[in-house]
Amino acid sequence: MFVTDIRKEFYDVVVNQRVALFVSPDIDALCACKVLQALFHCDQVQYTLVPVAGWQDLGTAFMEHKEQYQYFVLINCGANVDLLETLQPEEDSVFFICDTHRPVDVVNVYNDTQIKLLIKQDDDLGVPSYDDIFRDDEEDEEGDGDDSGNESDGSAEPSGKRRRYDEDALERRIERQRARREWEARRREILFDYEQYEFHGTSAALVMFELAWVMSKDTKDMLWWSVIGVTDQWVHDKIPHMKYVTDIATLQRHVSRHNHRNEDEENSLSIDCMRITFEYDLRLVLYQHWSLYESICNSCYTSCSFKLWSINGQKKLQEFLADMGLPLKQVRQKFNSMDMSIKENLREVIEESANKFSMKDIRVQTFAVNFGFKNRFLASDVVHAAAALLENVEKDEMPTDNFIKALDCLSRSNLERLHLGIDLAKKKLKAIQQTVASCICTNLILSQGPFLYCHLLEGTPDVKLFSKPLALTLLCKYLLKFSCVCVFCFIRSFFGRAFEKAAESTSSRTLHDHFDTSVIELKMEDRGKFLDALITLLS
Amino acid sequence: MPTENLSDKRMSKFKNKGKEPTKMRDRRIAECVELRKAHKVEGIMKRRNISSVGDEEPLSPEYNTDNKQVISEAIQEIVANVNNECPEKQRQGCQAARKLLSRERNPPLKEIVEAGLLTRFVEFLGRNDDPTLQFEAAWSLTNVASGTSWHTQQVVEHGAVPAFIALLASPMLNISEQAVWALGNIAGDGPSYRDALIDCGVIPALLARLTPDAPVGYLRNLTWTLSNLCRNKNPFPRFSAVQQMLPSIIQLLHHSDKSILSDACWAISYLTDGPNERIDVVIKTGVLPRLVELLGFEELAVVTPALRSIGNIVSGSDLQTQAAIDAGVLSALPLLMRHPKSSVQKEAAWAVSNIAAGPCQQIQQLITCGLLAPLVDLLRNGDFKTQREAVWAVTNYTSGGTVDQVVHLVKCGALEAILNLLQAKDAKTVLVILDAINNIFLAAEKLGEVDKLCLLVEEVGGLDRIEFLQNHENNAVYRAAQALIEKYFSEVAGYRCT
C-alpha cells in the first residue's frame, strides 16, 4: 500500500527498531541512503546497510537478515515486482519500499500489511483500481462445485450424483461465466497497458529529504544529497526534462529557505561552510575540473551537436571556439588556471556562440555547492564522480567496496575521494566518447526497424566498463543522441517486457537480474534468435 | 558471459520460476485471503450505507430466500399447497419445491425432507393423469437424491424406486428422462442401492428406451445412469447384470456424441477395474480395437477413461495384455506419453509399467514400437507422479527383460535418468529405483561388464547419490544402498566402505 503519512507510518514505526537497509547501486539510491543514515544517526536508530546489486543479491541479503530483522527498507529496488512472491517472507516481515522504478507491481500496491510504499502520490502512477484486477471468487467457485466443475478439465471421473438446476440458474451461471471471462480479458488488457512501459518516478533522495523536512530535521547536507539524486535521474535519462524542471523548482524553494535561514549568521562564509546555489549553468561535463576543450569534446550535448567523430565536426568545433574568441591556449589548459577575465562572463559568451551553432539548450537549471572558498562542484559533477567510483572497474575490487567509496565521496568531509571520482569520471567519459566514435565509424550501429542495435565486440577497449548498468546507460544515451534519434523512448521504455518475452519465446539463456529490467545479460550464442524474436515483437 | 551457471540460480530468485509450487500456492491463497479481507471490509462499509437490501440483486429470486425464516415460510406454503385437494394447488406447490431445490446455492434438501414432503412427491410420480405434476415431483426427488447418502436413503425409503422404474416407460420423454436421472442418482450412491435397483429390474427398463431415435440429451442421461450401474466394487455388480448391459454400452461407445462416449468409456473402465475374470468379460465383447481408437481422440473427457480402461486391461493376465497389444495399444501410447496433460502422461506411464512387467516378448514389443524414448523423457521431465510410474516401468522391465534388452534400455539413457531421481523425497520410489539399479548390475554381471557399469554410474554422479543414501532415515533404503555399495563399489580405488 502507499504510505500517506510517511512520518507516522514509516519513520515513527522504525525509529525504535533495528532496521535492515537494502540499497540499489545507483546514485539516487546512495543519496537517499545518505539522508536516511543521517536521520538514523540523529535518532540513534540501529540499522544494517546492505548494498544489493540485483534480484539475486536482494534475495540473498533477505535470507541472511530475515531472522534478525522485522523491518526492511528497500531503496530503489523492490517496487516493480511482486515482492512477497519473490522473497517469500514470514508474515511479520514489513517492507518499506522507496523506489523510483515504475510501474509499481499491483500486488505491492494492494497489500496492506507487509508492503509499505514510500512513493509520492502525485507521481503519474496510473495504478488500476482494485476491482479491475482482483475479484472475489467465492461465488463462482461454489456454483461450480457439482457436475460442471470437472467438465472444464475433463480428466476427472464423473460424479456419482448430479443435481438438476433451474433453467434460469443455468442461464445465470452461463451469464456469470461469460461476465467473468470478459472481466479477465479486460484485466489482462488493463495490466498489459499498465505494465507495458517502464519509467522512473520522483527521486528517492527527494522523498527521503521531504521526510526529513516534515520532521524539521533537514540539513543542508541532506538537501544537497537530494539535489544530487534528482540530478542523477536527469544525467542518466531516467526522467523526462519536464519532470526534472519541476523537481528542480521544488528543490530551489528548499535551497532558498536554507540560505535564508543562514543569512544572518556571522560565519556564513567561513572556511568550512557549505553553500548551495541555484545556477543556470553550462551543460558541459566536469568543465570546472577539466579544461574547457576536453569538456566540450566529451559532453554528450556538444560532441553530439558537432558530430565530433567526423572531420567536419572537428572543424565546426574550431569555428565555435573561434567564434567565442577564446585563445586555444586558454581553452586547453585547466579551467582553474584560465584567466579570471575570461571566466567572468564565460557562460554568457558560450551561450551566445552556442546559439549560433544551434545549441539553444547549452545552459540548464542546476545547483552548485561551495565548500569553503576553494571547492565548487556542480551537481552533475558529483553524479559523474560518484557513478565512476560506484562502477570502478580499474581494480578488481569488491562491488561492496566500490559502493562504500561512492557513498563516502558524497560526504563533504571526503573531498579527496570526490576528486578521485572526478578523475575516474573523466576517463570513463573519454572511453564512452571513443567507443561511440568507433561504433559510428565502423558502422556498428544497425537499425533493426523498430530499434537500434549496437554490438560491442569482445576485445573492444573498455568493454568491461560497459558491463555496468550506469556506464551502459550513459553509453546508450550518447549512442542514441549521436544517431540523431530522440531519447525519449529510453525514459518510458518497453524494452523490459519485450526482453522478457523474447527470451521466453526463444528460450534464450538470459539473466534478468538488474532492477532496471531493460538491462539484461544474454548468452552470446543465443543472440541471433533473441534479436529475431525482439524484432518480430516490436514491429 | 557467465550466464549459464547463473541462470539456474536466478530462476529460483526471480519472480515465480523455480519456486516450489505448493509453497507458491499457499502464498497465493494467503495473499488472496488478505486482499479479500481488505476488500470485504470495504464492501461491508459500503453496504452499511444502503438501507434497503432489495436493491442489491433485484433480479435474483435466490436473494430473498436465503434466510431461514423466509425458507421455512416458503416450505410451509408448499406443504399446504401439496396437501390441498385442488390439482392446480398441488402443481403450484410442487413447482415451488422444485424451484427451491434447483437453486444454485444452499438448496433446502434437508428442510424439504423434514417437512414430510417426500411421501406426497412419490405419490405424485404415479399420477399418470397429470404429467406436469409427475414431472415436477420427479425433478424434486431427483435433486433430493443428489444430496448425501442420507438424502438418497430418504428418497429410496419413501418407495421411489419402483415408481421411477415405472415412469421410465412414460410416453412423455421429459418425464422418462427425469426418471432416468433420478435412478442414476440412486445407483450412484453405492453398491447396495445399485444392486437394489438391479433387483427391481431397472436394466431391461432402461435398455428398452435405448432406441436409435432417442434424442442426444436423453441418451446422455441414459449412458450416465448405465455407467453408474457398472460402478463401484465391494461387491462388483453381478455378472448377469454386466452381461445384460455390455452390448448396449459397446453400442454407445460408437456414438458420435463426446459426452456419451465419455460416460460409456467410464463404464468400461469401471468394469475392467477388477480381477481378471471381470476383464475377460469385457475383452470378449471385442471392444479393444474401439478403445484403442478412442485413445487417439482429442477430448480429454474421452481419452482419460479410455486410457484408464486400457491401463486396467494391461494390468491383467499376460494373455489379456497381449490382446491389448494386438489391438494396437503400443502405437497409441507414445503420443499419450507426450500428451500436454500430465495426468494423461501418468496414466500412460502406468500402462507401460504394466506391459513392462510381462514376459520378454512383450518387452521386446515395447522396444520395437518405440516406447523407450518417451519413457526416458518422462523419467527426465515428467511431474513426480508420472516419474514414479515411469520408474516402476524401468524396474519391471529390468527384472523381466533379457540381458540384451536391459543393455538397450541403459543405452537409451534410462540409467542416468533414474539415478537423477534418487534425490526424490519419497522413500518408496527410491527403493524401487535401487531395485532397478540392482537389476541392471545383475545383467552387467552376466556380461562381465560390472566395472564398465560402475564407471558409468560414477561418471553421471550416481555413486555420490547412492553413497548419500546410506544416511537415509528409512532403514530399507539405507540397507539397499549399502548393499549396492558393498557389492559393486567396494573395490573402486580409494573407496572404503563404512
Side-chain angles (χ1 to χ4, degrees):
Chain A
M1 62 177 282
F2 290 111
V3 161
T4 40
D5 185 336
I6 185 170
R7 175 188 193 162
K8 250 203 227 139
E9 292 170 73
F10 164 57
Y11 200 76
D12 290 353
V13 174
V14 299
V15 78
N16 294 314
Q17 306 284 340
R18 280 146 44 89
V19 182
L21 188 55
F22 295 164
V23 182
S24 146
D26 68 81
I27 308 308
D28 179 40
L30 292 180
C31 292
C33 174
K34 287 297 274 187
V35 177
L36 195 58
Q37 278 181 302
L39 286 174
F40 281 176
H41 287 165
C42 170
D43 290 307
Q44 293 172 335
V45 178
Q46 289 187 48
Y47 68 92
T48 299
L49 170 63
V50 188
V52 288
W55 296 111
Q56 285 183 19
D57 265 10
L58 181 61
T60 319
F62 177 70
M63 291 303 279
E64 281 169 5
H65 293 85
K66 65 176 181 182
E67 303 294 336
Q68 305 99 300
Y69 293 88
Q70 187 191 352
Y71 295 99
F72 297 87
V73 177
L74 276 62
I75 299 182
N76 278 357
C77 55
N80 56 344
V81 297
D82 180 348
L83 198 66
L84 297 182
E85 191 78 56
T86 310
L87 297 180
Q88 308 273 332
E90 297 298 321
E91 265 174 37
D92 57 349
S93 302
V94 178
F95 298 88
F96 296 96
I97 304 174
C98 181
D99 187 1
T100 64
H101 290 98
R102 306 284 181 275
V104 181
D105 189 274
V106 286
V107 179
N108 290 342
V109 172
Y110 289 111
N111 181 295
D112 283 352
T113 50
Q114 289 186 269
I115 304 284
K116 314 282 181 186
L117 297 163
L118 314 180
I119 282 171
K120 272 179 89 162
Q121 289 288 314
D122 48 4
D123 275 349
D124 176 23
L125 289 164
V127 181
S129 77
Y130 183 91
D131 288 326
D132 281 341
I133 41 175
F134 297 105
R135 185 172 159 129
D136 206 332
D137 275 347
E138 270 172 299
E139 290 182 25
D140 304 76
E141 279 159 9
E142 237 177 61
D144 284 345
D146 289 355
D147 55 340
S148 66
N150 296 330
E151 275 167 27
S152 59
D153 176 36
S155 59
E157 215 173 295
S159 56
K161 293 176 186 176
R162 301 180 306 164
R163 197 150 63 86
R164 178 165 179 178
Y165 292 109
D166 234 335
E167 304 285 303
D168 324 349
L170 219 60
E171 268 168 32
R172 268 204 301 282
R173 190 147 104 192
I174 291 164
E175 175 59 27
R176 261 218 304 280
Q177 276 168 358
R178 199 185 53 78
R180 183 177 176 79
R181 271 194 294 276
E182 265 175 23
W183 180 84
E184 274 165 357
R186 208 173 97 85
R187 175 181 195 269
R188 273 195 296 277
E189 220 168 86
I190 289 171
L191 278 183
F192 179 84
D193 287 347
Y194 177 64
E195 291 173 346
Q196 186 182 14
Y197 292 106
E198 282 149 52
F199 59 103
H200 287 265
T202 301
S203 141
L206 184 52
V207 171
M208 285 300 170
F209 175 77
E210 288 187 348
L211 166 68
W213 175 50
V214 296
M215 299 193 297
S216 306
K217 288 177 180 172
D218 55 323
T219 64
K220 258 188 198 172
D221 284 295
M222 294 181 187
L223 179 55
W224 178 237
W225 291 322
S226 69
V227 165
I228 299 171
V230 171
T231 309
D232 166 56
Q233 291 193 307
W234 176 67
V235 167
H236 288 105
D237 263 349
K238 286 179 181 166
I239 50 171
H241 193 72
M242 267 316 292
K243 170 77 177 154
Y244 172 70
V245 171
T246 315
D247 288 346
I248 284 291
T250 309
L251 286 166
Q252 197 189 347
R253 284 195 293 277
H254 287 295
V255 167
S256 31
R257 182 169 55 84
H258 271 266
N259 286 342
H260 182 70
R261 195 196 282 172
N262 292 350
E263 247 169 21
D264 38 306
E265 279 175 31
E266 282 187 8
N267 61 349
S268 61
L269 267 175
S270 73
I271 211 90
D272 57 349
C273 82
M274 171 181 191
R275 189 170 175 84
I276 305 171
T277 48
F278 175 78
E279 302 280 348
Y280 189 49
D281 215 319
L282 296 166
R283 263 168 103 164
L284 295 176
V285 279
L286 301 169
Y287 76 95
Q288 296 171 35
H289 309 273
W290 218 343
S291 72
L292 196 57
Y293 182 79
E294 291 266 32
S295 177
I296 291 174
C297 286
N298 292 298
S299 292
C300 184
Y301 187 69
T302 41
S303 68
C304 148
S305 300
F306 289 130
K307 300 189 194 313
L308 278 185
W309 67 91
S310 63
I311 295 171
N312 203 17
Q314 290 290 340
K315 259 192 215 153
K316 255 197 211 162
L317 172 62
Q318 300 304 328
E319 278 171 36
F320 175 70
L321 294 172
D323 189 83
M324 288 191 294
L326 299 179
L328 263 185
K329 196 182 154 216
Q330 289 286 338
V331 173
R332 282 183 190 269
Q333 72 173 326
K334 273 167 117 186
F335 183 84
N336 272 338
S337 321
M338 265 170 92
D339 279 357
M340 281 305 281
S341 58
I342 296 180
K343 277 198 271 189
E344 228 162 58
N345 57 350
L346 182 71
R347 294 193 290 207
E348 287 71 25
V349 169
I350 292 185
E351 184 178 23
E352 208 187 308
S353 298
N355 275 338
K356 291 186 203 155
F357 284 75
S358 62
M359 293 185 288
K360 300 238 181 312
D361 302 318
I362 191 81
R363 292 175 75 174
V364 69
Q365 294 120 304
T366 182
F367 295 92
V369 70
N370 284 290
F371 297 119
F373 306 109
K374 193 176 154 215
N375 291 295
R376 177 186 154 87
F377 301 95
L378 284 181
S380 59
D381 295 345
V382 182
V383 169
H384 282 294
L389 285 169
L390 185 64
E391 294 187 341
N392 186 4
V393 288
E394 287 197 342
K395 284 176 239 152
D396 277 324
E397 290 204 64
M398 295 292 289
T400 320
D401 295 336
N402 283 336
F403 183 93
I404 298 298
K405 282 180 185 161
L407 199 61
D408 278 352
C409 87
L410 298 172
S411 308
R412 66 167 124 160
S413 60
N414 221 333
L415 292 181
E416 217 166 293
R417 175 135 298 149
L418 184 58
H419 281 294
L420 279 176
I422 286 176
D423 289 341
L424 273 176
K426 289 179 192 166
K427 284 185 196 162
K428 175 170 147 186
L429 289 163
K430 278 186 186 165
I432 290 176
Q433 198 60 36
Q434 276 160 10
T435 309
V436 169
S438 81
C439 283
I440 290 172
C441 294
T442 51
N443 287 326
L444 279 181
I445 306 169
L446 305 174
S447 171
Q448 295 284 14
F451 59 92
L452 291 179
Y453 168 70
C454 176
H455 169 224
L456 297 185
L457 297 165
E458 193 77 40
T460 313
D462 305 307
V463 78
K464 198 171 153 200
L465 180 69
F466 302 117
S467 65
K468 305 283 181 180
L470 291 181
L472 184 64
T473 309
L474 219 50
L475 175 71
C476 293
K477 175 181 168 177
Y478 276 60
L479 279 172
L480 264 179
K481 285 234 169 120
F482 269 118
S483 312
C484 301
V485 183
C486 77
V487 278
F488 290 113
C489 57
F490 229 90
I491 290 162
R492 280 184 92 86
S493 163
F494 44 73
F495 276 121
R497 297 284 151 194
F499 284 166
E500 244 176 69
K501 274 260 156 58
E504 206 178 283
S505 64
T506 56
S507 52
S508 299
R509 285 156 290 177
T510 54
L511 183 62
H512 304 249
D513 191 50
H514 292 287
F515 297 127
D516 261 313
T517 46
S518 47
V519 179
I520 63 163
E521 289 174 36
L522 169 71
K523 201 139 175 81
M524 195 72 120
E525 298 91 87
D526 295 339
R527 188 162 51 110
K529 59 178 181 181
F530 179 83
L531 271 178
D532 286 343
L534 198 61
I535 293 166
T536 329
L537 259 175
L538 295 179
S539 33
Chain B
M1 271 187 278
T3 342
E4 196 168 40
N5 39 359
L6 284 177
S7 68
D8 286 352
K9 264 199 265 168
R10 85 126 187 140
M11 285 299 263
S12 66
K13 295 268 157 60
F14 185 64
K15 291 231 165 169
N16 309 336
K17 284 156 197 150
K19 289 263 158 60
E20 274 183 40
T22 49
K23 230 176 142 189
M24 270 174 55
R25 198 172 318 115
D26 289 350
R27 157 76 46 204
R28 250 198 314 275
I29 290 166
E31 225 160 66
C32 265
V33 169
E34 234 168 57
L35 291 167
R36 205 179 274 173
K37 265 188 213 151
H39 188 46
K40 271 272 165 65
V41 173
E42 201 185 71
I44 289 164
M45 307 272 272
K46 270 190 222 151
R47 222 162 268 172
R48 274 197 194 136
N49 295 330
I50 298 166
S51 49
S52 64
V53 192
D55 315 339
E56 280 271 1
E57 228 180 319
L59 289 177
S60 164
E62 295 174 10
Y63 194 84
N64 313 325
T65 47
D66 243 357
N67 78 54
K68 279 216 162 86
Q69 170 99 42
V70 180
I71 286 191
S72 103
E73 275 167 23
I75 290 182
Q76 273 170 23
E77 198 186 327
I78 291 169
V79 172
N81 279 335
V82 160
N83 289 321
N84 198 301
E85 283 309 304
C86 165
E88 184 52 42
K89 286 277 177 200
Q90 290 174 356
R91 279 198 291 271
Q92 219 178 313
C94 207
Q95 192 182 43
R98 181 263 289 174
K99 283 194 169 156
L100 274 184
L101 291 167
S102 306
R103 22 180 257 170
E104 253 191 290
R105 271 183 287 162
N106 311 323
L109 299 189
K110 189 157 174 275
E111 291 81 349
I112 294 274
V113 172
E114 282 169 349
L117 282 163
L118 296 197
T119 322
R120 283 298 269 172
F121 288 167
V122 173
E123 248 176 74
F124 291 162
L125 290 183
R127 288 277 291 277
N128 291 329
D129 58 317
D130 194 341
T132 310
L133 191 61
Q134 274 184 318
F135 177 66
E136 296 289 357
W139 186 341
S140 299
L141 287 167
T142 302
N143 283 3
V144 175
S146 77
T148 64
S149 274
W150 181 82
H151 293 120
T152 314
Q153 188 188 352
Q154 298 308 308
V155 173
V156 173
E157 284 177 359
H158 279 85
V161 170
F164 273 128
I165 291 178
L167 268 192
L168 285 176
S170 166
M172 311 288 292
L173 211 55
N174 64 333
I175 295 175
S176 170
E177 186 176 356
Q178 199 56 54
V180 170
W181 192 327
L183 290 165
N185 276 340
I186 296 169
D189 186 63
S192 69
Y193 280 155
R194 176 200 65 201
D195 290 342
L197 286 178
I198 292 171
D199 290 339
C200 291
V202 76
I203 293 174
L206 283 170
L207 296 185
R209 301 300 311 228
L210 183 59
T211 52
D213 54 340
V216 170
Y218 187 96
L219 283 181
R220 285 179 185 162
N221 273 316
L222 189 63
T223 313
W224 174 70
T225 298
L226 281 174
S227 80
N228 269 357
L229 287 166
C230 299
R231 198 167 179 164
N232 290 315
K233 312 181 201 180
N234 305 318
F236 286 100
R238 56 174 182 266
F239 272 113
S240 61
V242 174
Q243 298 280 22
Q244 253 179 314
M245 285 186 284
L246 258 176
S248 305
I249 292 171
I250 307 291
Q251 193 188 326
L252 289 165
L253 216 46
H254 286 84
H255 204 280
S256 60
D257 181 76
K258 305 296 182 256
S259 171
I260 292 174
L261 281 178
S262 173
D263 279 328
C265 264
W266 279 110
I268 296 290
S269 82
Y270 303 144
L271 293 176
T272 49
D273 182 14
N276 293 354
E277 53 278 20
R278 294 261 156 198
I279 297 174
D280 247 357
V281 176
V282 175
I283 291 181
K284 284 208 176 100
T285 61
V287 74
L288 269 169
R290 177 59 180 167
L291 276 180
V292 171
E293 207 178 321
L294 293 171
L295 286 180
F297 270 50
E298 217 162 273
E299 292 75 12
L300 205 55
V302 177
V303 173
T304 303
L307 181 54
R308 177 75 58 83
S309 307
I310 291 290
N312 288 339
I313 291 167
V314 297
S315 74
S317 69
D318 288 350
L319 266 172
Q320 289 169 338
T321 307
Q322 193 57 47
I325 293 174
D326 293 343
V329 162
L330 293 185
S331 47
L333 280 175
L335 267 180
L336 298 176
M337 292 163 87
R338 296 194 157 118
H339 198 277
K341 201 88 185 157
S342 62
S343 61
V344 174
Q345 294 177 5
K346 185 198 75 182
E347 294 265 327
W350 173 60
V352 172
S353 79
N354 276 324
I355 299 170
C360 56
Q361 294 81 359
Q362 284 176 3
I363 292 178
Q364 195 56 43
Q365 279 172 297
L366 286 178
I367 299 172
T368 317
C369 295
L371 272 79
L372 296 197
L375 180 66
V376 173
D377 279 351
L378 290 183
L379 286 169
R380 288 187 186 134
N381 306 320
D383 73 354
F384 182 64
K385 285 179 177 170
T386 308
Q387 285 178 326
R388 205 164 48 190
E389 296 301 341
V391 162
W392 269 110
V394 171
T395 304
N396 289 342
Y397 180 113
T398 51
S399 78
T402 65
V403 172
D404 286 344
Q405 285 170 345
V406 174
V407 169
H408 186 72
L409 183 66
V410 172
K411 279 186 182 155
C412 288
L415 177 62
E416 192 177 345
I418 57 171
L419 285 170
N420 273 326
L421 285 171
L422 280 176
Q423 288 156 310
K425 298 222 167 26
D426 179 45
K428 176 83 186 155
T429 305
V430 172
L431 267 177
V432 176
I433 296 172
L434 290 175
D435 225 13
I437 296 169
N438 199 42
N439 290 338
I440 294 170
F441 267 107
L442 291 176
E445 265 180 358
K446 284 181 198 153
L447 288 171
E449 294 196 340
V450 171
D451 289 349
K452 216 168 136 192
L453 183 60
C454 283
L455 211 63
L456 180 62
V457 170
E458 203 176 345
E459 262 172 21
V460 299
L463 179 55
D464 291 342
R465 299 214 176 88
I466 300 172
E467 272 179 31
F468 190 69
L469 290 176
Q470 292 183 110
N471 304 320
H472 203 278
E473 56 186 8
N474 182 303
N475 253 332
V477 170
Y478 133 79
R479 261 178 292 158
Q482 196 176 38
L484 270 176
I485 296 279
E486 276 175 6
K487 192 161 173 205
Y488 299 109
F489 291 97
S490 51
E491 282 146 36
V492 172
Y495 185 80
R496 287 192 56 82
C497 236
T498 45

